[in-house]
Amino acid sequence: MRPPLADALDLAPHREGGWYRQTWVSPETVELPDGRVRPTATLIYFLLAAGESSAWHRVASDEVWLAHLGAVTVELGGSGRAPADDVTRIVVDAATPQGLVPAGVWQRTVPSDADALVSCLVSPGFDFADFELAAD
């Protein structure tokens, strides 16, 4: 069921879990070392409704998480072939309104008892071609 805040912000289901909508794409581009071109940055809303979490995944760019509502706990599972068992946790909330997920690091969010809304700024800009879900 689509959460009320997802309706209000016109958010769609995300492949990793949760709800999102891209809100900005930089008009400037950068050429990556492999020759692909990406915007210099992109920005999304990302909502986790109470009890929701995201699957282990990683992207090829740095992500800065920015808190708007509630708290998101992000587990970082290293940059190996699969997420590590020993994780580092960052909390993005009113007390710590920014959190960094470095490029290529496995990440997932864990459930909370309240809705949480963040923005994710990705640089170089996000593209699903650079997104990897962990094997089950």
Side-chain angles (χ1 to χ4, degrees):
M1 187 168 122
R2 190 172 180 190
L5 190 52
D7 276 335
L9 295 173
D10 193 27
L11 306 181
H14 198 291
R15 291 181 193 175
E16 73 193 50
W19 303 83
Y20 83 108
R21 178 171 57 89
Q22 188 172 72
T23 58
W24 177 74
V25 177
S26 172
E28 301 298 322
T29 59
V30 62
E31 184 174 335
L32 303 178
D34 63 8
R36 294 177 298 151
V37 175
R38 295 283 184 265
T40 56
T42 56
L43 184 66
I44 66 167
Y45 281 135
F46 184 67
L47 170 68
L48 285 168
E52 289 185 334
S53 61
S54 67
W56 280 112
H57 65 284
R58 62 181 170 183
V59 299
S61 299
D62 288 339
E63 293 184 45
V64 178
W65 289 53
L66 308 164
H68 297 298
L69 171 73
V72 174
T73 300
V74 183
E75 292 185 337
L76 305 178
S79 58
R81 290 180 165 232
D85 291 332
D86 184 28
V87 300
T88 301
R89 288 179 181 83
I90 59 173
V91 176
V92 181
D93 61 9
T96 311
Q98 295 181 2
L100 173 65
V101 177
V105 170
W106 291 104
Q107 61 177 294
R108 70 176 175 187
T109 58
V110 296
S112 171
D113 59 359
D115 291 354
L117 177 67
V118 297
S119 285
C120 293
L121 177 70
V122 179
S123 181
F126 180 82
D127 188 297
F128 274 107
D130 302 328
F131 175 86
E132 178 183 7
L133 278 171
D136 290 334

